[in-house]
Amino acid sequence: MPLLEVRRLDVGYLIPGEGLFARPRRLPIVHDVSFDLDPGRTLGIVGESGCGKSTLGRALLRLNPPSGGEVLWRGTDLATVPARALRRQRAEFQIIFQDPLAALDPRMTVLASVTRPLATFAPGLGARAREERGRAALEKVGLGSDFAGRYPHELSGGQAQRVGIARALVGDPKLVICDEPVSALDVSVQAQVVNLLMDLQDQLDLALVFISHNLAVVRQMAHEVMVMCLGRVVEKAPRGAFFAAPLHPYSQALMAAVPEPDPHRERARRGTAIAGEVPSVLTPPSGCVFASRCPRAEPRCHGERPALRPLQGGRSAACHFIEGTS
Amino acid sequence: MAADTVARSTLALQFARFRRNRLAIVSIWLLALIVAACFLGPYAFPFTGEDADFDFIGAPIDFTSPHLFGTDDFGRDLLVRTLEGGRVSLTIGFLGAFVAGVIGVLYGAVAGFAGGRTDSLMMRLVEVLYGFPYVILVILLSLLFGGGNTALFAAIVFTLWLTPAVIVRSQAEGLARREFVEAARAGGMTSTAIVLRHIVPNCASVVIVYGSLLVPEVILSESFLSFLGIGIKEPQASWGNLIQTGTSAMSTDLRLLLLPGALLVAVLLCLNFIADGLRDAFDPNDR
């Protein structure tokens, strides 16, 4: 049985209506997402800003409730778990954040931040035992005990992100959602954090959901890649196959948008940037989510939404121009 | 960062900055002196502020007599009465500010954290209460509680918790969206625990600054209400009713006005200097 099974998940936000007594409206963000995740594996989720990657990540942990579909954790639908039990169970699935400094309470020491979740996850533990586990978690992420008493404003971005990882690890999780964990860090520090996450995955057999818009990092970390556009999955493929030849025009466009280090090739590459505006989530297109910006779009693409069809080699894509296997 | 730097919380840094403000530190000492005098001073005299001494009625300042600052028209010792009045005024001031502060902080933190409709409803209620005429409220509460200190205290708390609630709410609203709150939820904390452990402590700076302004505000409204005659009643003394007695005798004998008035002014100035120092030390804008 996979660790995490996501079935046709929809997620939306409630936004307040106009005026005090108006009914709040639901703004749909994520539509019809399904995938499985096994222990020790990494799913990379890529897509441009605002495509619903982070919203999806939080819904997987029930930090915001899904509006449709289900999330099965080891076979149990998380929606059926009572609130109190769910709080305990959160030890098993954790999250690390994009802005590592904002993710730490400025008035708490590093050790206090790291050990805080143990009050819920291991309520029987004494103060001494909790502190020991906190220090052990800090050790795991390469922070010595002299960091324990520091405050967030005394940390660098990379150190703060390590503290965030230590806090996620303190309850011995099986799954960690990494929501753009390196995009706020210096490039040199990014590599350290990526390597740390990969080492920890090997040691602890962690499953990771790695949300990022940085394709190079996803290529290094992920076993499988899922591409999202405007809240829908447009392509899903094993890492090797995806980076060898992305099928969906949106995936191809994302890949082409990665800057080239060589200035000559970079100049030759000009003009491949995605043209056009991203459609608003308030008025989603009735056809393909990428149609308004797709170089290959035909009238059919605007009128009819392509389904995510399984293809050869365990991949799938949602595009009228890609032939399905079925 | 030097290796020997001891980790210090922002709160500790802010207090270190506060200690460098000389005016504020002097104010704290002066205030402590006045508080000590009010609470301990009356015990140094063989009589209380309610004992009439018929040999000294309306006696003037005379440092050789037992009544250093003289007596009032009933032969009651002015200094002792003023100190005892200070005890009442200061108690109401600090206690009232504390209670109003706690209520306001919790209310504001909950409203800001909850957001959405809960927040709107809670803050509309605050606005309604803001619009309520203060003096009429006090008179109503006096009737309700049968007058006396309880009514006064209730009325003061009832009107003064509103501003801290509004201030803390705006802070809490911003804090609730920070990622460490999301992290706390992922860590299995309940909303109550998040409000108490994360939201309220992070409002500490504004609360400390505003709280220190709240104390003189409470003392002033106590004095004001007692001056109007709907606060502390004779024979119990408070700075408000002492000043009131003093003003009616102002044309013949300034002494009755000056002693309680001077102490009130000194306390208010001290508290304001302290509040000023705290604000300078805690203001996030000049960090």
Side-chain angles (χ1 to χ4, degrees):
Chain A
M1 187 194 300
L3 197 60
L4 182 72
E5 294 166 79
V6 180
R7 297 278 167 265
R8 311 213 58 167
L9 190 71
D10 293 333
V11 195
Y13 284 122
L14 282 179
I15 52 171
E18 301 289 314
L20 184 54
F21 296 104
R23 295 191 127 269
R25 287 188 303 141
R26 184 170 284 281
L27 179 65
I29 305 286
V30 174
H31 305 269
D32 198 12
V33 173
S34 304
F35 65 86
D36 289 351
L37 188 61
D38 290 312
R41 305 282 291 176
T42 301
L43 173 70
I45 302 182
V46 297
E48 62 208 337
S49 309
C51 72
K53 309 184 296 278
S54 298
T55 305
L56 173 63
R58 280 159 172 72
L60 297 179
L61 303 184
R62 285 199 80 77
L63 287 174
N64 44 31
S67 44
E70 51 191 7
V71 178
L72 303 181
W73 176 254
R74 300 210 246 186
T76 318
D77 185 354
L78 284 179
T80 63
V81 179
R84 179 185 277 265
L86 180 68
R87 279 203 300 277
R88 270 297 262 292
Q89 209 178 359
R90 287 192 178 282
E92 298 176 5
F93 35 88
Q94 280 294 311
I95 180 166
I96 55 181
F97 295 93
Q98 174 169 15
D99 183 347
L101 278 170
L104 297 175
D105 187 327
R107 295 218 182 271
M108 279 191 174
T109 62
V110 163
L111 189 65
S113 282
V114 171
T115 52
R116 180 64 245 185
L118 288 175
T120 319
F121 297 158
L125 226 52
R128 176 73 60 81
R130 241 184 265 174
E131 190 180 322
E132 256 163 43
R133 281 186 60 176
R135 285 183 192 277
L138 286 173
E139 202 71 49
K140 260 187 225 166
V141 298
L143 293 178
S145 53
D146 54 321
F147 280 94
R150 292 212 191 159
Y151 285 88
H153 68 99
E154 299 169 311
L155 302 175
S156 70
Q159 289 163 351
Q161 192 55 287
R162 283 166 191 268
V163 174
I165 296 172
R167 174 175 57 193
L169 292 181
V170 79
D172 295 327
K174 307 272 178 274
L175 165 72
V176 177
I177 310 276
C178 309
D179 185 7
E180 304 260 15
V182 298
S183 54
L185 304 177
D186 287 345
V187 178
S188 57
V189 182
Q190 282 188 5
Q192 291 173 19
V193 172
V194 165
N195 289 335
L196 172 67
L197 284 170
M198 291 175 76
D199 289 345
L200 290 168
Q201 178 168 43
D202 285 345
Q203 283 168 37
L204 308 169
D205 202 28
L206 284 177
L208 298 178
V209 171
F210 195 90
I211 299 168
S212 181
H213 55 244
N214 185 336
L215 285 171
V217 175
V218 170
R219 184 175 201 165
Q220 200 184 345
M221 298 249 353
H223 299 103
E224 200 179 18
V225 180
M226 193 162 94
V227 183
M228 286 182 73
C229 179
L230 220 68
R232 290 177 193 274
V233 176
V234 295
E235 182 167 3
K236 204 162 63 168
R239 183 228 340 236
F242 179 81
F243 282 99
L247 293 180
H248 196 281
Y250 178 65
S251 313
Q252 291 165 354
L254 278 183
M255 206 84 104
V258 175
E260 191 69 55
D262 179 346
H264 295 290
R265 284 203 278 170
E266 170 69 22
R267 214 162 292 140
R269 206 181 55 92
R270 284 275 166 81
T272 53
I274 306 179
E277 285 289 310
V278 186
S280 162
V281 275
L282 295 168
T283 52
S286 55
C288 174
V289 283
F290 190 52
S292 63
R293 294 178 290 161
C294 182
R296 296 173 65 183
E298 286 176 4
R300 180 185 174 203
C301 298
H302 292 282
E304 186 191 337
R305 176 173 299 136
L308 187 67
R309 279 180 306 230
L311 307 168
Q312 267 157 3
R315 53 199 304 187
S316 45
C319 178
H320 291 307
F321 299 108
I322 301 168
E323 289 302 313
T325 46
S326 49
Chain B
M1 185 174 300
D4 60 333
T5 320
V6 186
R8 293 216 278 174
S9 69
T10 37
L11 207 60
L13 290 170
Q14 286 162 337
F15 274 113
R17 196 154 42 194
F18 177 72
R19 270 194 295 277
R20 286 197 295 273
N21 185 330
R22 202 168 294 156
L23 190 59
I25 295 298
V26 168
S27 297
I28 282 193
W29 283 110
L30 184 58
L31 183 67
L33 198 71
I34 295 175
V35 170
C38 288
F39 281 83
L40 302 174
Y43 295 112
F45 295 88
F47 40 77
T48 71
E50 291 175 22
D51 292 338
D53 188 339
F54 297 109
D55 297 335
F56 293 88
I57 288 181
I61 296 176
D62 178 0
F63 293 119
T64 58
S65 82
H67 305 290
L68 302 179
F69 281 84
T71 57
D72 63 10
D73 296 347
F74 301 100
R76 297 177 297 192
D77 186 87
L78 180 63
L79 179 61
V80 175
R81 268 187 82 69
T82 306
L83 293 180
E84 285 179 0
R87 189 148 61 181
V88 172
S89 292
L90 289 169
T91 307
I92 289 193
F94 282 96
L95 210 63
F98 180 76
V99 175
V102 168
I103 295 175
V105 167
L106 289 179
Y107 190 91
V110 168
F113 177 72
R117 188 179 294 186
T118 319
D119 177 34
S120 309
L121 287 174
M122 284 176 87
M123 293 331 280
R124 291 306 84 75
L125 176 68
V126 166
E127 280 157 26
V128 169
L129 294 179
Y130 254 130
F132 219 83
Y134 179 39
V135 177
I136 293 179
L137 182 75
V138 180
I139 295 169
L140 281 176
L141 284 171
S142 304
L143 291 172
L144 197 69
F145 287 101
N149 300 1
T150 330
L152 178 73
F153 187 74
I156 288 175
V157 169
F158 198 78
T159 43
L160 289 182
W161 69 271
L162 299 171
T163 310
V166 173
I167 292 175
V168 168
R169 181 228 163 230
S170 69
Q171 286 269 312
E173 194 186 25
L175 288 167
R177 276 197 288 271
R178 297 272 290 275
E179 281 180 331
F180 66 79
V181 169
E182 187 105 61
R185 288 213 295 138
M189 279 173 92
T190 59
S191 298
T192 321
I194 293 175
V195 168
L196 293 178
R197 298 276 184 149
H198 289 297
I199 305 289
V200 171
N202 276 289
C203 296
S205 311
V206 279
V207 169
I208 289 171
V209 172
Y210 187 74
S212 59
L213 282 170
L214 204 56
V215 177
E217 210 177 325
V218 176
I219 294 180
L220 206 57
S221 45
E222 181 275 320
S223 303
F224 163 69
L225 292 170
S226 301
F227 183 86
L228 289 182
I230 44 182
I232 308 286
K233 301 271 194 316
E234 286 270 4
Q236 195 181 23
S238 85
W239 284 344
N241 65 24
L242 287 171
I243 291 170
Q244 200 264 329
T245 325
T247 36
S248 43
M250 197 159 65
S251 49
T252 55
D253 192 357
L254 260 182
R255 173 181 61 96
L256 289 175
L257 175 63
L258 283 185
L259 188 60
L263 276 178
L264 179 66
V265 167
V267 165
L268 293 183
L269 279 178
C270 282
L271 285 166
N272 276 303
F273 284 137
I274 294 169
D276 237 33
L278 285 171
R279 201 191 48 228
D280 287 347
F282 283 76
D283 195 345
N285 293 327
D286 63 35
R287 201 167 299 153

